[in-house]
Amino acid sequence: QVQFVESGGGLVQPGGSLRLSCAASGITFRGYAMAWYRQVPGKQRELVARIGTSGSTTYADSVKGRFTISRDNAKNTMYLQMNSLKPEDTAVYYCMTWIGNDNFWGQGTQVTVSS
């Protein structure tokens, strides 16, 4: 079955950096676009960044210039490099893909930006 495992979250001070990883299994990873979402309690899950099978990328306006999404198809892994972190980046970050009408999500990793 399709499975994603996120890692790399934690507590970081404002201005700091973190690198999230998403390890995929159960799919031919290189054949699917992937995305990172984040969610704050009481709010809807929001798209952070998306990467296509060719490596094309899109970003939410709030993270442009600070976050970089990438993928390593040989390792079945997607990454999110987060720099210049702000307190408003605090959230649970999820990786996901979609196959037809079905969405597949990881369990999420907590990112907390606080001094």
Side-chain angles (χ1 to χ4, degrees):
Q1 70 278 21
V2 179
Q3 187 173 13
F4 300 123
V5 178
E6 300 97 333
S7 61
L11 173 64
V12 63
Q13 292 187 342
S17 298
L18 282 175
R19 188 194 196 203
L20 305 184
S21 299
C22 171
S25 60
I27 59 169
T28 305
F29 181 73
R30 64 180 180 275
Y32 295 95
M34 296 286 299
W36 286 100
Y37 278 73
R38 66 186 180 187
Q39 188 170 26
V40 174
K43 292 190 176 182
Q44 280 194 327
R45 203 168 287 191
E46 64 172 359
L47 176 67
V48 175
R50 181 188 294 137
I51 186 165
T53 55
S54 63
S56 60
T57 58
T58 57
Y59 296 91
D61 287 343
S62 59
V63 307
K64 279 181 182 176
R66 300 188 298 122
F67 290 12
T68 302
I69 189 172
S70 62
R71 64 191 299 162
D72 185 337
N73 291 333
K75 295 183 178 180
N76 288 352
T77 302
M78 176 178 66
Y79 305 97
L80 185 68
Q81 178 67 45
M82 305 186 294
N83 299 329
S84 302
L85 282 161
K86 304 175 181 180
E88 51 264 43
D89 295 317
T90 296
V92 177
Y93 284 71
Y94 299 89
C95 66
M96 67 86 64
T97 193
W98 53 100
I99 303 174
N101 293 323
D102 295 325
N103 294 331
F104 297 88
W105 299 88
Q107 84 288 350
T109 185
Q110 176 71 46
V111 171
T112 303
V113 184
S114 175
S115 55

